[in-house]
Amino acid sequence: MSDLFELGKKWLKKYNTGQPLNIMEVCGTHTMAISRYGLRQLLPPNINLISGPGCPVCVTSAYDIDLILEIINNYDLNLFTFGDMIRVPGSSSSLLEQKSRGKKITVCYSPLDALNFAIHNPDQSVLFIAIGFETTTPLSSIVIKRAEENQVRNFFIFSTHKLVPPALELLVKDKQVKIDGFLCPGHVSAIIGSRPYHFIPLEYGIPCVVSGFEPTDILLSIAMILRQIYQGKPSVEIQYKTVVKPEGNRVAIDNIYDVFQPVDCLWRGLGNMPCSGLELKPEYQRFNARLRFPVPEIKPRPHPGCVCGEVLKGLLKPNQCRLFGQPCTPQNPIGPCMVSSEGSCAAYYRYERLNPERI
Amino acid sequence: MKDQNFKDVNIQLSHGDGGLKSNQLIHNLILEYLGNDLLNRLEDSAVIKAPGSRIAFTTDSFVVNPIFFPGGNIGKLAICGTINDLATSGCVPIGLSFSLILEEGFPVSHLKKILASMRETLLEAKTSIITGDTKVVEKGSADKIFINTSGLGLIKHNSLLSPSEVKTGDKIIINGPIGDHGISILSQRKEFNFQSNIVSDCAPLSSLVSAVMSKTKKIHAFRDATRGGLATVLLEIAQASGHIINIHNQNIPVRDEVRGICDFLGLDPLYIANEGKMVIFVDPMDAQVVLDTIRNHKYGKQAAIIGEVGPSGPGSVILNTEIGTRRMLDMLYGEQLPRIC
């Protein structure tokens, strides 16, 4: 094992006061890595890792899923989407089920695939579900700019893009949620930098460490949080220095705000949060699928037993959901946290069943 | 009869109608590349002499996309897949059947390339196609080319090779790095289109299996880790034998580039497909001689002992990580999808 890993273990021992601590990993990729490497097995029992709202599929509201399903049922469209979205159940169906019924749905790996399809098929309407946090939004922006330059008339996006800092602000303000430290997301922070998190230690006294994704990175980051608590000096530190700079990536940030503007946005489990989503600016509204494809008002009916919302806030562990494991499994997911490859329920189900006492 | 005037550029529906064009296709292409005494008879079934011993029989269909990829193509894959399925019984192939389903408009030049690599692989594995069939379907009814192959093999040993024969203490050996085939295919798909030097591991493993069988009688099971990857094979064997299997992550060979691409896309190399990887369960006393034999074979230079079979149990596989933690492996739930974030 690397020297850094040993250092992380040493710091864990040195700076652990023994007081119960809740440390939230915000990002779904962290959640998966923690479970996959069994990192909880290495932590002292007073340290409780909880998963946050950092999986874009998990926080997509049931309303948005049902709206997308309604749009493809009312209009003849070619829908392009990233992988996991296709399996998320809406109130009565999913994109996967609609695909098997003959709807034109393609899993793509870049929005450019959707745009290229639109360019080569000008007589067909193409809808791309733009999903993700600050990491994926710059690419959506570039695609919209390219569509504008090429005067593409048959390409539309359904934006579910969201911003991470407003969700963290909501969590630290929530009296029910007790968080003693944040593992901040590495990929998102590569774009926005570490400065947007400064309000967390400054106003709420909660330490933040931007972490990479290897087990060594995560262990060391947790130890850095313990050190901040031990020394009584909460701040924002960057452990993932090879990728994340305090100021972030200016070009990517400019690209986001050239095309998108913050809007109030509905998050699954967290509710409607002011200025937490991104929608197209007025000059790009002609690409907005929500406007281009109006549908009758819908009323989502999420599964009554699903507590993905509480799981996303860290109020409940996935295995505390009465649906967990039976009937909700990765083969038959009822909520999005069990669907997504980044979802905390899927991570717990796949990787943590060997040590149930530590999850 | 071979027709020197065969100059067709694309497959046409008439190549599959059983008439003149079909005949030309068979004589000018298929027999040209794959012909031999048995196949040349063009009989509805091949008659083979079966000595009084056990025979293994297998079949598989190949519908891979793209059909050409670094390190192989659908034809090589079809031959290797069937030979390797036979090899898991520890047997030598007697002969293979093949059935081609071609889409109207398929370039004959592509078919030639596919047949040529099939011939090359058959020669290497010292076997041949002994019966076959060809169909052509309308454009759009199939995706370019599908190949079904079946294989017959002669079992010359008395060992019982089966997942149910796996025993506590058996060592688990793999003949090289995992995930090469799946990642080479992925890198060629238009939706990814990333540069990679990864070449498919697609290879016929019958000679490797024969070499191993000649050194020990204490092999308990062979399995080729194709779709579903290494993890799926280990789980199948754990469940079939009713044992707990322990594997050690740091001992499992994975190329850095494969690991990097998997990390980038959020995929797990343990679940990525292979087409030239054999997982071998052997009595611990003979594990080293098997490992040495495999490492001396051209398809086993990077072979490794990756774990051992534990006590009887619920049929689970436990992965021991390099940081000293453990987790259970599960079957893959549907297709692995790259992450969004």
Side-chain angles (χ1 to χ4, degrees):
Chain A
M1 253 309 105
S2 70
D3 293 344
L4 282 178
F5 192 77
E6 292 307 321
L7 181 67
K9 286 213 287 193
K10 192 173 142 196
W11 282 3
L12 271 181
K13 206 168 171 184
K14 182 176 176 185
Y15 297 119
N16 185 18
T17 61
Q19 67 180 107
L21 295 175
N22 289 325
I23 296 176
M24 175 177 275
E25 83 276 2
V26 176
C27 170
T29 312
H30 280 148
T31 300
M32 272 291 161
I34 287 165
S35 291
R36 190 171 156 194
Y37 290 107
L39 276 172
R40 284 182 179 82
Q41 298 164 45
L42 295 181
L43 296 178
N46 64 304
I47 295 179
N48 180 32
L49 294 183
I50 51 177
S51 305
C55 157
V57 173
C58 302
V59 294
T60 301
S61 69
Y63 177 83
D64 279 348
I65 304 273
D66 281 354
L67 195 56
I68 292 164
L69 289 165
E70 196 65 20
I71 288 173
I72 62 170
N73 277 325
N74 282 278
Y75 297 91
D76 182 22
L77 290 169
N78 285 276
L79 183 135
F80 284 72
T81 177
F82 290 145
D84 284 353
M85 280 296 282
I86 198 165
R87 296 178 60 220
V88 182
S91 295
S92 57
S93 183
S94 67
L95 290 172
L96 191 63
E97 193 180 325
Q98 293 301 315
K99 187 171 190 283
S100 70
R101 289 182 185 171
K103 295 288 181 194
K104 292 174 277 189
I105 296 169
T106 304
V107 172
C108 65
Y109 301 88
S110 162
L112 288 166
D113 296 340
L115 179 62
N116 287 336
F117 183 89
I119 290 169
H120 291 113
N121 298 276
D123 54 333
Q124 300 188 48
S125 294
V126 174
L127 169 58
F128 172 68
I129 303 176
I131 186 172
F133 298 111
E134 290 92 334
T135 331
T136 54
T137 318
L139 195 51
S140 296
S141 302
I142 288 165
V143 167
I144 292 293
K145 284 183 180 177
R146 198 173 288 182
E148 174 73 12
E149 283 162 19
N150 289 286
Q151 294 293 303
V152 182
R153 300 284 172 199
N154 59 328
F155 178 74
F156 309 93
I157 68 163
F158 186 102
S159 174
T160 68
H161 283 306
K162 292 180 175 59
L163 300 166
V164 165
L168 299 192
E169 189 162 16
L170 180 124
L171 288 171
V172 293
K173 280 180 174 168
D174 189 325
K175 295 273 186 288
Q176 278 187 295
V177 183
K178 297 193 187 331
I179 296 166
D180 301 297
F182 280 110
L183 280 178
C184 294
H187 296 141
V188 164
S189 308
I191 306 295
I192 65 173
S194 61
R195 286 176 188 154
Y197 309 121
H198 278 186
F199 74 95
I200 301 174
L202 278 177
E203 294 175 31
Y204 300 93
I206 299 174
C208 294
V209 175
V210 179
S211 176
F213 297 95
E214 292 298 318
T216 297
D217 296 329
I218 297 171
L219 192 77
L220 195 58
S221 298
I222 293 168
M224 289 163 75
I225 288 175
L226 292 196
R227 187 175 62 177
Q228 288 189 31
I229 293 170
Y230 182 86
Q231 294 174 339
K233 290 179 186 168
S235 63
V236 179
E237 288 183 275
I238 303 174
Q239 180 278 331
Y240 200 27
K241 284 186 178 159
T242 48
V243 175
V244 177
K245 305 281 173 268
E247 66 279 12
N249 181 331
R250 196 68 245 170
V251 174
I253 295 169
D254 288 346
N255 259 311
I256 293 175
Y257 291 104
D258 283 349
V259 172
F260 291 97
Q261 61 186 13
V263 291
D264 295 354
C265 175
L266 189 60
W267 293 52
R268 190 184 290 254
L270 278 66
N272 195 37
M273 264 190 272
C275 296
S276 65
L278 290 169
E279 193 49 275
L280 292 163
K281 288 169 100 167
E283 57 266 43
Y284 293 106
Q285 279 294 358
R286 72 178 179 84
F287 296 104
N288 188 342
R290 293 180 196 254
L291 301 178
R292 174 66 180 78
F293 305 110
V295 291
E297 188 56 35
I298 54 164
K299 287 196 176 140
R301 292 171 284 105
H303 193 288
C306 178
V307 294
C308 278
E310 279 81 351
V311 170
L312 289 166
K313 287 204 273 188
L315 293 173
L316 286 178
K317 298 273 187 179
N319 61 334
Q320 291 174 316
C321 171
R322 64 187 173 84
L323 305 180
F324 180 80
Q326 192 60 257
C328 185
T329 62
Q331 299 95 315
N332 177 36
I334 287 171
C337 294
M338 190 62 94
V339 171
S340 172
S341 61
E342 307 261 289
S344 48
C345 294
Y348 277 55
Y349 188 87
R350 290 178 64 185
Y351 298 133
E352 303 257 18
R353 282 175 294 152
L354 194 60
N355 300 286
E357 71 281 1
R358 285 292 281 133
I359 62 175
Chain B
M1 189 69 68
K2 189 166 175 180
D3 179 357
Q4 298 301 328
N5 295 322
F6 182 79
K7 299 214 169 22
D8 294 335
V9 175
N10 290 324
I11 293 296
Q12 297 151 29
L13 275 175
S14 53
H15 282 125
D17 67 5
L20 180 64
K21 283 274 190 188
S22 299
N23 199 278
Q24 287 176 338
L25 181 79
I26 290 165
H27 282 94
N28 289 276
L29 282 181
I30 292 168
L31 294 185
E32 177 74 14
Y33 284 91
L34 306 175
N36 54 61
D37 289 347
L38 271 173
L39 189 64
N40 290 351
R41 291 180 196 164
L42 294 175
E43 291 169 352
D44 287 341
S45 60
V47 178
I48 47 175
K49 290 175 187 166
S53 59
R54 290 185 297 154
I55 282 179
F57 181 51
T58 184
T59 189
D60 210 341
S61 295
F62 298 84
V63 294
V64 65
N65 182 24
I67 54 173
F68 294 99
F69 48 83
N73 61 53
I74 190 170
K76 181 177 180 186
L77 197 64
I79 301 301
C80 291
T82 294
I83 285 172
N84 293 347
D85 281 348
L86 289 174
T88 60
S89 307
C91 72
V92 179
I94 298 171
L96 272 58
S97 76
F98 87 135
S99 178
L100 281 181
I101 297 174
L102 300 164
E103 183 187 16
E104 179 185 18
F106 187 66
V108 164
S109 59
H110 288 190
L111 185 56
K112 282 184 179 176
K113 269 192 206 171
I114 289 167
L115 292 169
S117 66
M118 288 172 83
R119 177 172 61 189
E120 196 179 318
T121 313
L122 288 160
L123 277 172
E124 183 186 340
K126 297 186 176 61
T127 188
S128 50
I129 295 285
I130 56 173
T131 185
D133 180 48
T134 305
K135 296 281 187 295
V136 179
V137 296
E138 280 186 60
K139 194 160 185 65
S141 297
D143 187 11
K144 300 183 275 291
I145 177 171
F146 297 154
I147 303 177
N148 169 273
T149 44
S150 298
L152 275 177
L154 199 59
I155 300 175
K156 292 179 176 170
H157 57 80
N158 294 320
S159 305
L160 281 174
L161 296 173
S162 161
S164 59
E165 293 298 311
V166 163
K167 293 174 176 57
T168 300
D170 278 1
K171 293 289 181 189
I172 305 165
I173 299 175
I174 191 158
N175 62 314
I178 58 169
D180 292 359
H181 177 72
I183 294 300
S184 80
I185 293 273
L186 205 66
S187 67
Q188 292 300 299
R189 280 169 48 177
K190 62 176 170 40
E191 60 266 38
F192 286 102
N193 197 23
F194 51 74
Q195 295 293 317
S196 147
N197 294 319
I198 296 295
V199 171
S200 168
D201 60 349
C202 185
L205 300 177
S206 47
S207 60
L208 183 142
V209 164
S210 295
V212 168
M213 293 294 288
S214 70
K215 297 283 184 185
T216 172
K217 297 193 184 317
K218 292 181 180 169
I219 301 286
H220 295 141
F222 290 108
R223 280 300 291 271
D224 58 336
T226 53
R227 273 189 308 170
L230 176 63
T232 303
V233 161
L234 292 172
L235 275 158
E236 285 171 359
I237 293 202
Q239 286 165 10
S241 66
H243 281 88
I244 295 169
I245 285 178
N246 272 293
I247 54 167
H248 307 283
N249 205 34
Q250 70 269 34
N251 295 353
I252 300 172
V254 186
R255 289 183 207 285
D256 287 345
E257 198 172 349
V258 167
R259 197 182 292 285
I261 291 170
C262 284
D263 282 348
F264 179 71
L265 294 172
L267 307 175
D268 187 342
L270 289 170
Y271 293 91
I272 303 286
N274 312 279
E275 287 296 342
K277 289 296 158 321
M278 194 64 84
V279 186
I280 302 162
F281 288 74
V282 58
D283 185 288
M285 298 295 285
D286 283 2
Q288 193 58 47
V289 72
V290 169
L291 186 64
D292 293 344
T293 305
I294 298 173
R295 283 184 174 164
N296 282 327
H297 191 278
K298 70 171 176 173
Y299 295 130
K301 301 280 181 230
Q302 292 172 262
I305 296 177
I306 59 170
E308 57 280 325
V309 179
S312 297
S316 50
V317 179
I318 294 170
L319 179 80
N320 296 273
T321 72
E322 44 273 63
I323 59 171
T325 58
R326 306 187 317 148
R327 69 173 165 97
M328 274 168 62
L329 293 188
D330 259 343
M331 289 282 181
L332 187 61
Y333 309 114
E335 186 187 1
Q336 283 204 97
L337 295 165
R339 65 158 175 262
I340 295 170
C341 178

